[in-house]
Amino acid sequence: GPSFRKAPEGRAEVVPPPKQPEIPEGAPATAEARKRVDDEGDKVAVLALPGGKMHEIKILRPQYGDDLFLDIRDLNAKTGYFTFDPGFTCTASCASSITFIDGPKGVCLYRGYPVAELCERGEALEVAYLLLVGTLPNDEELDVFKKEVSRHMIVHTKIQAMYKNFTLNAHPMAIMVSVVGGLSCVFS
């Protein structure tokens, strides 16, 4: 197969927060938070809530990129508060070991490989193997994978019949959603 360059390796880890103004000494949990950071090396942000209550939030660094993330999974359980982010514009929905995207910098990686290079140099099934297995296949692995995919390429007649029921001007996304939903009826 073609040769690709891989983006730098890394791992998820907790990182220090940017310098913040000191939280008043008398606030609950502040001294404990400072002591725990010193003793265990954990990096946290401290959220001051109404009534003087404090909540510690882990600060996470992704495998790629320079963004920092606040891990708020326990926010509601421990404080009774939710976050509000209309349009989901400032919230990461998941951690992915498959895809990294930094839109403003024009970076899109699959398993650490630039997508543009995969598109230019790779075959579709080679990239599919990368996404499924985590590494690019050698020639023998790619050949076995192609044969396995070929065995499953026959489209069931019931799936073919689904397409006959759509109008010519039906939106492709609506067709895809319907057919994918129908797959569970045929292959259950």
Side-chain angles (χ1 to χ4, degrees):
S3 62
F4 297 94
R5 65 178 170 80
K6 190 163 186 179
E9 292 291 340
R11 64 177 182 80
E13 60 185 69
V14 180
V15 297
K19 293 280 184 196
Q20 297 289 329
E22 286 294 315
I23 296 171
E25 195 59 47
T30 303
E32 288 177 32
R34 286 195 194 112
K35 182 177 183 332
R36 192 170 60 75
V37 168
D38 292 341
D39 293 346
E40 299 174 22
D42 290 344
K43 305 303 179 199
V44 298
V46 180
L47 175 63
L49 298 167
K53 186 174 180 179
M54 307 301 261
H55 178 67
E56 296 177 21
I57 303 172
K58 285 184 183 177
I59 300 173
L60 306 174
R61 178 184 296 276
Q63 184 175 359
Y64 298 105
D66 300 324
D67 295 324
L68 300 177
F69 296 88
L70 298 175
D71 184 352
I72 60 169
R73 285 178 279 195
D74 66 351
L75 182 67
N76 179 258
K78 291 186 176 179
T79 68
Y81 285 86
F82 288 98
T83 58
F84 180 64
D85 182 12
F88 216 51
T89 58
C90 195
T91 301
S93 62
C94 65
S96 174
S97 62
I98 297 173
T99 304
F100 170 77
I101 299 170
D102 186 336
K105 292 182 182 175
V107 176
C108 184
L109 306 175
Y110 283 164
R111 301 277 191 187
Y113 294 92
V115 171
E117 284 190 30
L118 293 171
C119 292
E120 291 169 7
R121 298 184 185 170
E123 298 176 30
L125 287 178
E126 195 172 26
V127 175
Y129 185 96
L130 170 68
L131 296 175
L132 291 168
V133 178
T135 60
L136 284 168
N138 61 33
D139 291 336
E140 182 182 331
E141 292 167 331
L142 183 59
D143 188 48
V144 169
F145 186 65
K146 284 179 178 181
K147 287 176 183 169
E148 183 67 20
V149 169
S150 296
R151 288 179 356 139
H152 297 284
M153 289 182 70
I154 298 172
V155 179
H156 196 286
T157 55
K158 290 184 179 183
I159 300 296
Q160 291 175 356
M162 284 185 211
Y163 287 98
K164 294 178 182 173
N165 295 310
F166 296 107
T167 61
L168 292 175
N169 62 349
H171 193 281
M173 186 60 75
I175 295 172
M176 188 219 39
V177 167
S178 299
V179 172
V180 169
L183 288 172
S184 66
C185 297
V186 175
F187 297 104
S188 57

